Amino acid sequence: MASQLSTKQVFWIVLAVVVAVLPQLYRLPLWFAPMMTVVIAYRFYVQVKHIKKAYNIILMMVAIAALLLIVYSQGFGLSREISVTILITMTVLKLLETYRQRDALLVVMLCYFVAMTRFLYSQDLVLVMYLLLSAWVTTHALAVINYQHGSAWFEKKQLKASIGWLAMALPFAVLFFLAFPRLGSPIWGSPDIFGEGKTGISDEMSPGSIIELFMDDSPAFRVTFGSNNKPENNQLYWRGPVLSEFDGRTWTRHEFRRSRGQVAYDRQAAIIEYGIEMEPNGRHYMFGLDVVLNAPQGSLMSPTSTLFSMNKVNQLKHYRLSSAVTDRLYQRLPQYQRKWLLDFPEGLNLQTQIMIKQWQATDDSAYGMINKALNWFRTEDYLYSYSPPALHSNEVIDEFLYESRRGFCEHFASTFVVMMRMAGLPARVVTGYQGGVDMGDYVLVKQSDAHAWAEVYIDQPDHELGGYWQRVDPTSVVSPERLFRGSGNIIEQRRSFFDFPWLRQTREHLDRYRFRWNQWVRDFNVSKQQALFDAIGIQHRDGKVLAVILLSVLAASGALIFSWLWWRQRPRYNNLQQWYLRFMDLFKKEPAIYARQSAGMEAVTHSIVEQYPGLKKSVNDFQQCYLRIRYRNEQLTPADRRRLQHFFERLKKDVKKRYHSQSRS
Amino acid sequence: MSISKRCSTAPTLFKRLKNYFINRRGREALPVRLHWRRLYVLPSKPGLFFFLIGSTMMLAGLNFNNNMSLMLVFLLFGLAQVILYKTFFNLKNVVIDQVHAAPVFAGERYTLRLQLLAPTDRYQIQVKMDESVDTANILHQSGQWQLAADAEQRGYQPLPRLKLLTRYPLGLVTVWAYCQPKATVLVYPRPEQPCPSFAHHGGVEGPDSSVVQGDEMDDLRTYQSGDPIRDIAWKKSAQGQGTFVKKYHLKQGKELCFDYSQLNLKDIEKRLSRLTAWVVEAERQTLTYQLKLPQFDSGMGRGERHYHECLTALAVFGPGGVS
Amino acid sequence: MTTTQPQKPQKDNSVTAIELIIDCVSERILDKESAIRQVIAALLAGGHVLLEDRPGLGKTTLAASVAQVFGLDYNRIQLTSDMMPSDVLGVSIYHPEKQAFSYHKGPIFTQFLLADELNRATPKTQSALLEAMAENQVSMDGKTYPMDEVFFVMATQNPIDDSGTYSLPHSQLDRFLISLSLGYPSEAGERKIYSSTYLQSMKQPLPALSNAEQLLSWQQAVTRVHAAEEVLDYLQWLITQSRKHPHIQQGLSPRAGLGLFRMAQSQAFMAGRDFITPDDVTMSFYPVCRHRLLTDDGRLADEYIEEMLDSANLV
């Protein structure tokens, strides 16, 4: 039985491996793709040239070399990155010693595992589709290893069969998925150890960093508001990290070790409750509508009102928040903080400093300064653009204000904050998202909605907290449209080669399915399962009940598959054959005749006439008509059918009469 | 002491019980339909590995609450279930229609030809008989298998137990069934090697071929046990250099008679073996011959039919041929 | 001109004509209608017939009657072991005055040849005859002499008395389209033979109800009979079965398959149909296979042929 694998079988094994490994290629070390190519090329070379399997010692050395490479490029340890890399590498290397059916089955089955590990990083709908394809290819490879129908590389019959099996397996998978007990929390490791370093708002901002995000139309998070309480688009400031330290070019976050103290807000501000489904970003930030009142479970609120998750957000995260829709938040500002918030590189941007000094001379009040600055942006010739000229000098503020004059939100926010600090007002940059696409029952916030704005601390000595943070968005002055229509829609230029409005719309439309997918499948958990069980009236979820449910699912799907296969295996008859069967049914009560069914029309009619000479005419007429229609060189016409029907009816009548007279006598 | 004894007999007892269970239907007249109750189903080795991989994947999926991994795992388990039925259906209702082995001589290998029928196409059905294995498909309602086994004893020999096995389509599940068909293979006695020269048993001499070469002294050979006494060349033998027999070369057309009772051999098997060799040789040389056994007389003749008749008579002769 | 319209009445005519012929021959060979039908079907299909029977069962009468009613030239050769190929095919004779060879045609140059006791001839003569049969021409001294377009051989073999015979090798048997065995007539049929009217009628030749030309046109018509895919499936299935059968030494050759097809066409034509039904194939299967299939211990495969036909599913 140790027969060699055929080239076609090797081809399918390799294809299964390649399809399974491909979506992980991006995160594997650089040497991996060339290695895989070499291994596959060698395997095919060996196949075509009929070279014997290399000595085990050589294969062993290759495997050890690959292990060393992994340790070299990814470090030593049993982290998931390394274990997954080892699994994939060994699967690929196993191709080198795959010469017999047994090894081939092993490699191909490992492909299922490799495909699964991809899900630990992302469970996006598109990826799911791809991995289903991978499962199909792998299953087909298994089938080809076992038996090849025909010699074509892509044998249609077998491909169809393997997709059929998966389709039949699907109801079982879904039912089991719904009913199988889940763990409330992981036994080993934490769910966030697998994750993708997705792009998103970071804790640094320099000119150009948000523009990068602007290019990305992938979803950042989705928001479900309660009935009809979605605020206007220009109110949708999704607060992210707050950046307060400026080195002249880059803004960075200040680390706080405490959570937010006492705050107050305008009593007239509307309080909104909503739920957020956040795509993994590989960081701790969470986003909420400005101003978030309380941190949800598993997260904390920094003094800058930013939400931080305890674990990195590496999986789809759901949380509910309530926010006050207001642009000012009363909060105490300790002296030491005030000092940071007034800090700016003093020796630089002198031109701006001089201008601020001049403004201070006319009106020293905080609002006076804010208005002057905003007015300056409005009246002077500034342009909102996602492709501003690069700022090279040390004096970024001066260069932007007096030379380039074109910028994205980050330029305006950054410049504005520095101007305020020059004027002696504590100010900081807030990053996050602004706006969102209304998808009907939820609001989609994309990465391209990333935004930066400013906050200025206004002293109000008569308030018990001593002052408040006022949100100021300088971009809104330059381009008021931005707040209503989103950045993507107000810039005429195409962001990239593939940036077409219809494509953007299609993507947004597709997101609807993603949202449903996330809601129903990707995020199915203990509580949703509980709700499902409650809905179908199963209250007790102890072991016995669950076992009964699982067993009945098993039995039900088994019965389903069994009956489907059984039904598929039944003999199938064409129209004329069915006529024959109808004819046979007339003689159901005659075992001697009925038993001859498989002998064909002529033999059967012969024995009928022998037994019942009285039926000779009607039987023969029907037989003649039937034979002509079935075997002559023409298509079946309605007229034929009518004639057949006619003879059949007559025969039926005669047969009935026959029985009648028989029973009477 | 009793414990050690029990230990040593336990496996054989188990095997005996197992064999008793498998053979409980006894020898069955063909055709035999493999009803689903006759089929055994167990996961194969690759199937166990599949299950192992699936379980590992499930643990990972459960631990990390990764729904898509779980879905994939359940899809694979569902697949295994589908394959289980598929494999089962691949053997279910297969009909062992005919087995046939052309007669052979003892000591040779016989080829068993087996025909299976099924209303739908079936693939990769393995049939095992002792060590011999053959795999084929049932296409267009029938399929053929060829198995080989050693023919050791003469006579109508019962066939060993057949095992029909399939792992199609994915090799995850093994479905098999046993059958002991009530069919026999006819084994002719082992012809003596090398073929001794024909004995002169008073066959009727043919009209045109009565020439016996080497009737003279120059064509003698040494005596073999079983040579008729009247063929001994007494004169030559008397010279004391051994016993010689006259050697007859027969031309085509000579009619021979092989008579069991005239053979001067003690052992029945040896007699049969020699007669067999003669019949084979006579047929090879297209001579006309007659075989006489107690209670059997073939009459003069030649040709395939006659040949097989004689050999069959030799095969079933006496006590050795009944089994 | 060959549209379906004018063909229809002609077809009906031919059916009645053939029925008449069969009736006519049946008067001579009593009680053997099905055998007569098979012979005529083989004639219409353009194949040759092998009759395996004991002497005295009317083989010669059958051949002569068929030749007479079809109005064909009829020759009969009684084959013996001392016959040379030239006795059958003819000889080239040197004419000293003309200084050239001239070819004298043998008895094979006829339309209807009865080769009696074929297995008595030496293999050499047998093969010469069979070759001529297969190729419809005689090759002699580098020249080929074509035979009549209508050429039908009916060979007989005596299966019992096989001393001094050379039974035909399997490969040669394949050249006969069908093989038949008349067997004994029924008692009633046999009784009729002794009646004076029958004996009287035997003395008179049968009327020629047809001629070679018409036979040719019928043969043409037979080849046009349609076979539906389903029927071909059935035919193919039978052929495959014969090859797969564990008891059968050697399955049917493609030539046998074609023969089966032609016979079925011929049967359909005789029934007045322009399409084959499975029954036509079933009816033709036995005569086509009988001499071609042998079990592996040298017996005729009759029971297995039956079995194969029974296991077919013709729903």
Side-chain angles (χ1 to χ4, degrees), chain B residues 95-124:
Chain B
V95 177
I96 305 172
D97 183 43
Q98 296 187 359
V99 291
H100 174 69
V104 288
F105 295 99
E108 290 180 354
R109 276 178 90 70
Y110 64 88
T111 309
L112 182 76
R113 297 210 280 166
L114 172 77
Q115 170 155 289
L116 301 186
L117 304 180
T120 50
D121 287 359
R122 307 296 171 87
Y123 298 94
Q124 294 296 93

Side-chain angles (χ1 to χ4, degrees), chain A residues 573-574 576-577 580-581 597-603 624 626-634, chain C residues 8 226-228 230-231 272-280 282 309-315:
Chain A
Y573 299 108
N574 64 26
L576 284 164
Q577 284 172 315
Y580 178 64
L581 296 178
Q597 176 165 314
S598 67
M601 173 62 100
E602 285 155 296
Q624 295 286 324
Y626 177 83
L627 288 176
R628 168 157 291 279
I629 289 170
R630 182 157 174 192
Y631 297 112
R632 72 190 167 166
N633 195 9
E634 279 164 53
Chain C
K8 270 247 156 88
H226 170 73
E230 277 179 284
V231 177
R273 280 183 268 113
D274 59 351
F275 55 90
I276 308 179
T277 65
D279 218 31
D280 295 328
T282 309
L309 287 171
D310 279 346
S311 63
N313 187 4
L314 286 174
V315 172

Side-chain angles (χ1 to χ4, degrees), chain A residues 13 94 122 265 294 326 395 415 452 523 637:
Chain A
I13 296 164
K94 180 83 186 158
S122 163
Y265 55 90
N294 291 306
T326 174
E395 305 193 323
T415 310
D523 208 49
T637 63

